[in-house]
Amino acid sequence: VQHYGLHRGVGRGAPEIDVFEVQAGSTKANTGSFLKMPVGQPFLSSSYQVAPGRLPRPGDGWWPAPGQWYDNLTGGMNTSLNIAFYGTYNHFRDDTDPSTQDYWSDAISYNRQLNASHFGKFHKYRIEWELPDKVGTKENNYTETFGYLRWFLDEEFILEIKGEGLNASGTGGEISSEPMYMLLNTAISSQWGFPQKCPASCPCKTYNCHGGYGETCGFSEGFCDMMSKPAEYKINWVRVYQDKNDPKQKVGCSTKERPTKTFIEAHEKKYKRAGDAHPLKPIQNGGGKCSLTPPTNLTLPESCGGIEHGKCSYKTKPPTCTCSKNWTGPHCLNPVGYNDIDWDPPEKLSDIGFTGPSLRGGLGIILVVGL
């Protein structure tokens, strides 16, 4: 499949590495839905999503029997294999042969016990990601490494997943080597991500923390109490460190190993929603609503980031942000960024072997246009 720069036998999936997901609550270890687990609420879950999943597999809430789950998993202090959720069965309505098209996706995760202090001050969450690699040939000094993922909380070890365990599963799973992006969000589920059976006397049709029993009985215990209080998700900084001398470590969406740019350009319709001109929208530079009397907190959108980032222009109604040279985004809160190396630059005619005519011997061409 030597089209659009794609490599034979190398696909693009949708891997997911969760640095952390947090579940609050008051259900303690070895009670309720955590009856068989030494870690209860509140906890942090670190996980790696991989597909296709393995069979046989343990049932949710049960510890795996020998051969039912992945090897080469190591947990740290105050952690436990997350037996409440092993993954998802994927079925699609247009499947013509579910027996061959349906599949399991696995969630390899460990839960780490938290306490009240983790919700009241800043903590450092870290992940180390080493890519798999193949060096040499089978005839000459061939070596293969399978990579790993390691998670830490305030420098305390949480979990390690070694690629050897994925490789030994026989599913084709591996430590991801695909270009990935970071997503920081608050996704709040009515069941904190772990649905429970609806109580016998509860209709579980409407979920409303401000309603009566029929609208609140489907929530997990303590959920509405949590939502009734002001909640903030504050991020002080995000940093990415790479070894500039390691050719495997790159920044970019379309690299030589996983090119996607030219394929997407040739199949734009597959990546657009109704009304989109192109798959990717340009970064908005300014234009966000702001206040002519900005707040003292310069991280708030209506401040335009302060005088160094931008200013609130009264020339538009309502007033909007105008960004300074090195800042961008609707409210000028993001520094202008770029990739140091363009791994997939625009194609030239010479890339397909075309060479134009050359002029030798001092021959000149002068074009004169007159009226």
Side-chain angles (χ1 to χ4, degrees), residues 96-294:
T96 56
D97 185 8
S99 64
T100 60
Q101 292 175 291
D102 291 5
Y103 65 95
W104 283 92
S105 54
D106 289 342
I108 309 172
S109 60
Y110 266 58
N111 293 348
R112 204 278 192 184
Q113 189 68 62
L114 301 180
N115 54 53
S117 71
H118 291 97
F119 296 85
K121 61 181 181 180
F122 285 107
H123 294 268
K124 183 163 64 175
Y125 304 87
R126 174 163 62 96
I127 186 168
E128 295 179 358
W129 175 14
E130 178 63 32
L131 302 178
D133 194 18
K134 296 179 181 179
V135 179
T137 64
K138 292 184 178 180
E139 295 78 21
N140 185 21
N141 297 326
Y142 177 78
T143 59
E144 181 176 7
T145 55
F146 298 95
Y148 59 79
L149 293 167
R150 294 173 183 156
W151 286 260
F152 299 84
L153 168 58
D154 293 332
E155 306 303 335
E156 293 184 2
F157 174 70
I158 296 177
L159 167 64
E160 178 185 60
I161 299 176
K162 287 185 177 180
E164 287 85 346
L166 301 176
N167 182 68
S169 69
T171 63
E174 62 179 7
I175 298 296
S176 176
S177 59
E178 296 192 30
M180 300 174 70
Y181 62 89
M182 289 185 291
L183 177 64
L184 298 90
N185 71 330
T186 51
I188 301 176
S189 163
S190 62
Q191 298 289 345
W192 284 330
F194 293 87
Q196 300 176 3
K197 290 184 178 180
C198 183
S201 60
C202 182
C204 290
K205 291 183 178 180
T206 302
Y207 291 84
N208 179 12
C209 284
H210 302 288
Y213 174 80
E215 295 181 342
T216 61
C217 55
F219 286 111
S220 295
E221 181 183 356
F223 182 88
C224 289
D225 179 61
M226 179 194 72
M227 296 297 291
S228 67
K229 303 172 183 177
E232 292 181 308
Y233 177 30
K234 293 183 177 181
I235 301 171
N236 191 15
W237 49 261
V238 177
R239 298 170 185 170
V240 178
Y241 297 92
Q242 292 182 306
D243 182 356
K244 65 180 180 181
N245 297 317
D246 186 345
K248 301 191 303 298
Q249 300 185 18
K250 297 180 174 69
V251 174
C253 295
S254 184
T255 62
K256 292 181 180 179
E257 295 81 8
R258 292 292 202 285
T260 54
K261 180 181 176 182
T262 54
F263 182 88
I264 293 175
E265 289 175 343
H267 303 83
E268 283 195 344
K269 189 176 180 180
K270 295 178 178 291
Y271 301 90
K272 293 191 299 184
R273 295 177 299 181
D276 287 344
H278 300 287
L280 289 178
K281 296 180 180 179
I283 296 174
Q284 183 177 339
N285 185 265
K289 294 182 181 179
C290 57
S291 172
L292 292 174
T293 55

Side-chain angles (χ1 to χ4, degrees), residues 330-343:
H331 298 93
C332 313
L333 298 177
N334 299 296
V336 173
Y338 61 92
N339 290 333
D340 293 319
I341 300 175
D342 186 357
W343 299 105

Side-chain angles (χ1 to χ4, degrees), residues 26-45:
S26 57
T27 305
K28 302 304 180 184
N30 303 124
T31 65
S33 55
F34 302 97
L35 182 62
K36 299 179 181 179
M37 296 179 63
V39 173
Q41 296 173 335
F43 66 83
L44 168 155
S45 184

